[in-house]
Amino acid sequence: MIDLINVNKSYNEFAVLKNINLSVKKGETLAIIGASGSGKSTLLKLMIGLQRPTSGEIWIKQQEISKLDEMQLDKIRLTMGMVFQYSALFDSMTVAENIGFGLTEHSDLSTAEIDKIVDEKLALVGLEKFKEYMPNELSGGMKKRVSLARAIAFEPEIILYDEPSSGLDPIMAGKIDKLIKYTQQQMGVTSVVVTHDMDSAYYIADRIAMIYNGEIIALGNAQIIKNSDDERVQEFISGGRIIR
Amino acid sequence: MAIIGSFILKRLAIWGGFILLLLDTLKQCRQMPRLRHVLRQMAHLGVDTLPIVALTMLFTGMVLTLQTAAEFIRFGAQSTIGGVVTIAVGRELGPVLTGVVAAGRVGAAITAEISTMKVTEQIDALKVMATNPIGYLVVPRLLACMIMLPLLVVFGDIIGSFGGWIIANYYDISSFMYMRSIDVFVISHDFTGGLIKAVFFGIIIAIIGCYYGLYAENGAEGVGKATTKSVVNAIIAIFFFNCFLSMILYR
């Protein structure tokens, strides 16, 4: 579903990602872990064409996207959704308008039909009563849930999550994790989740990839990561409590 | 020399950016934007600017008459004041001052809104949802400014001339004489030329406002800097193009 082949990304000769090779199978959830500034979010932005790689190939659904123009990319993006780190809700629109945005812009559905889908998605994230609220009237956790509802409104095949539980209290973070798991199980979506919350990664991911200074240094299921011999992995997953 | 060269290169790069954005926007105009978006921008950018334009032009018309009336009366030319004020307002002061006021209010609003969207990843969210930010954000603003600036100038011209009339009355110039001189001296091109200028100023305000919004650097500081640059550059561009347009339209 998603294949990255020898992907490099540099800013002003500073290499952010080095020779990344990664595959995500259909229906799989991959968590990408790593310290802040290790290149996780850049990797996510490359996967949805918000940034272009310096070299290498990025294949989404058997199409190499790094050389497509914006119009061709848009066709692929219609099958993808993204939950941003700070939600990125349109602050001039209500919650309902945010969730229905993609459908309003890119489908022939009537207002009533869009409204029905918005209601369904809001019920899924438990925010039925906040349909007419503006984003600035919502808490951080609510915004994340609206962002998730917006990402799944178009029934995408792939969802990318950028730090979905960062800045949330443990209970709200747990709720978001359950929602991610639920959407994966119910809708069969392929997910890539960038996080540095290890509990979240173990709970939602089929496989975990760890990035360190722009390189993938570990890849496998939760057990493989937990049992990794690499000190850098052990230091990260133990929260720095292992002293080298 | 190196400093001057680098300054000129930077200015050229920025102006190149404006032109590229304008070309991209015209390309996006092939797909008609939703009327609702354009109307919303017209209300926001045009109608809400009317009070400040009206106030500016009222006082401009008043002060123009105030400065000229005494001199004109001294030379026995009081019968020309209405025409002179109206021509000055219609050809130059109406479009330029409306443009400058709109650059301060509308241009700043456009840049602040779009740059905030940029730094809060809302522009990326648009792209992710397969929506071209230029088509969605820039096209409606460009159309709204191109339509609303001339309309604001129409109101500004009438109010400016009305302001002149108020002060003319104070100098014992009768309403008939004031109106008669407008009728005798003013031709329709004095207004239409100003309206053509206003269309160009609308393009300048929208494109420069959107450019600085779309290319704002991160953080609150980035938004502030972008807004200031947008207003300053739009005002400079308005004065610059006004000079050329006056040469073309009124030579």
Side-chain angles (χ1 to χ4, degrees):
Chain A
M1 197 70 161
I2 305 173
D3 291 289
L4 279 76
I5 303 165
N6 298 329
V7 169
N8 289 283
K9 176 72 182 170
S10 308
Y11 296 109
N12 302 325
E13 294 180 19
F14 174 72
V16 180
L17 292 172
K18 298 166 205 162
N19 208 31
I20 301 286
N21 287 288
L22 196 62
S23 269
V24 187
K25 291 191 279 289
K26 195 170 190 288
E28 184 186 26
T29 298
L30 174 80
I32 300 172
I33 59 168
S36 301
S38 57
K40 310 187 296 290
S41 294
T42 304
L43 191 56
L44 218 54
K45 285 179 179 171
L46 290 175
M47 286 179 189
I48 202 158
L50 287 175
Q51 292 185 13
R52 309 261 174 176
T54 310
S55 64
E57 294 174 10
I58 298 170
W59 292 78
I60 305 284
K61 294 172 64 192
Q62 282 83 50
Q63 267 195 286
E64 215 278 272
I65 65 158
S66 59
K67 288 170 187 73
L68 296 180
D69 65 28
E70 283 294 312
M71 273 175 76
Q72 292 168 316
L73 257 178
D74 281 347
K75 283 182 194 152
I76 302 215
R77 283 171 178 156
L78 285 173
T79 65
M80 300 174 82
M82 182 163 176
V83 177
F84 287 84
Q85 186 173 3
Y86 301 106
S87 307
L89 298 178
F90 303 124
D91 47 24
S92 59
M93 296 181 196
T94 63
V95 164
E97 287 168 336
N98 263 287
I99 297 171
F101 182 85
L103 297 164
T104 311
E105 292 295 313
H106 302 294
S107 76
D108 299 324
L109 296 175
S110 67
T111 315
E113 287 168 319
I114 292 173
D115 210 40
K116 193 167 164 256
I117 294 170
V118 169
D119 285 339
E120 278 171 23
K121 303 305 173 195
L122 274 172
L124 191 67
V125 296
L127 291 172
E128 302 94 318
K129 290 176 189 162
F130 297 90
K131 196 175 169 185
E132 296 308 322
Y133 276 55
M134 298 303 285
N136 62 8
E137 297 170 307
L138 305 177
S139 70
M142 285 170 165
K143 282 183 190 169
K144 280 267 164 73
R145 284 190 280 167
V146 174
S147 182
L148 179 58
R150 184 174 71 175
I152 59 175
F154 217 78
E155 309 263 321
E157 294 170 49
I158 299 167
I159 303 183
L160 310 178
Y161 299 86
D162 192 1
E163 310 269 10
S165 52
S166 74
L168 301 179
D169 64 73
I171 294 169
M172 189 53 74
K175 274 187 189 173
I176 298 282
D177 286 346
K178 277 181 193 153
L179 275 171
I180 294 172
K181 192 98 178 161
Y182 180 84
T183 51
Q184 181 210 2
Q185 287 168 345
Q186 294 298 309
M187 297 163 61
V189 291
T190 308
S191 306
V192 179
V193 186
V194 158
T195 184
H196 42 221
D197 178 346
M198 286 316 299
D199 291 337
S200 171
Y202 292 145
Y203 177 69
I204 57 179
D206 299 312
R207 284 189 306 151
I208 298 170
M210 175 157 173
I211 296 195
Y212 186 85
N213 281 346
E215 288 176 279
I216 294 180
I217 57 166
L219 179 63
N221 61 26
Q223 216 50 48
I224 291 172
I225 294 292
K226 279 178 190 171
N227 297 333
S228 170
D229 295 334
D230 194 315
E231 282 184 348
R232 296 167 298 182
V233 177
Q234 287 304 325
E235 186 181 25
F236 185 82
I237 64 176
S238 65
R241 285 181 283 273
I242 291 177
I243 299 159
R244 274 187 273 173
Chain B
M1 277 306 274
I3 295 168
I4 297 168
S6 135
F7 175 79
I8 291 170
L9 280 178
K10 267 186 197 165
R11 306 302 324 159
L12 286 176
I14 291 169
W15 277 87
F18 296 157
I19 291 163
L20 286 177
L21 179 61
L22 178 62
L23 293 177
D24 273 351
T25 310
L26 294 177
K27 217 188 285 174
Q28 288 296 320
C29 282
R30 281 182 304 190
Q31 294 165 330
M32 266 307 285
R34 284 172 197 270
L35 189 62
R36 190 165 53 96
H37 292 164
V38 181
L39 290 176
R40 190 187 289 168
Q41 291 303 324
M42 282 168 70
H44 178 55
L45 305 176
V47 178
D48 297 348
T49 313
L50 183 58
I52 187 164
V53 166
L55 211 61
T56 308
M57 290 313 299
L58 178 73
F59 288 119
T60 303
M62 286 169 81
V63 83
L64 192 61
T65 311
L66 196 74
Q67 293 290 354
T68 53
E71 299 303 315
F72 273 51
I73 289 167
R74 200 144 59 93
F75 291 105
Q78 58 267 47
S79 62
T80 62
I81 286 176
V84 169
V85 169
T86 307
I87 287 172
V89 166
R91 285 186 177 197
E92 297 293 336
L93 296 173
V96 171
L97 289 181
T98 303
V100 169
V101 167
R105 192 190 174 282
V106 175
I110 290 174
T111 310
E113 187 181 3
I114 297 181
S115 58
T116 306
M117 287 183 77
K118 167 92 190 304
V119 301
T120 53
E121 293 182 311
Q122 291 176 56
I123 304 276
D124 281 348
L126 279 176
K127 287 184 190 168
V128 162
M129 284 189 278
T131 303
N132 187 304
I134 293 174
Y136 188 78
L137 296 171
V138 186
V139 171
R141 283 165 178 79
L142 177 70
L143 293 178
C145 284
M146 284 173 71
I147 297 166
M148 292 314 282
L149 250 281
L151 286 179
L152 285 171
V153 168
V154 169
F155 282 104
D157 286 349
I158 294 168
I159 293 164
S161 201
F162 172 73
W165 171 78
I166 293 172
I167 298 296
N169 275 337
Y170 175 76
Y171 280 99
D172 290 335
I173 295 163
S174 69
S175 301
F176 175 77
M177 192 186 282
Y178 190 85
M179 295 302 172
R180 175 84 184 134
S181 75
I182 294 176
D183 193 28
V184 169
F185 290 108
V186 180
I187 55 167
S188 62
H189 184 53
D190 293 325
F191 283 106
T192 51
L195 299 185
I196 292 167
K197 284 182 179 183
V199 175
F200 280 92
F201 297 163
I203 295 171
I204 288 169
I205 292 166
I207 291 297
I208 293 183
C210 291
Y211 174 86
Y212 281 107
L214 289 170
Y215 294 98
E217 284 162 23
N218 280 341
E221 196 188 351
V223 174
K225 274 186 185 167
T227 309
T228 311
K229 280 182 190 168
S230 153
V231 174
V232 170
N233 279 286
I235 289 174
I236 292 169
I238 284 170
F239 282 115
F240 181 79
F241 279 98
N242 180 57
C243 184
F244 282 99
L245 287 169
S246 286
M247 277 198 261
I248 295 165
L249 291 165
Y250 294 117
R251 205 167 61 165

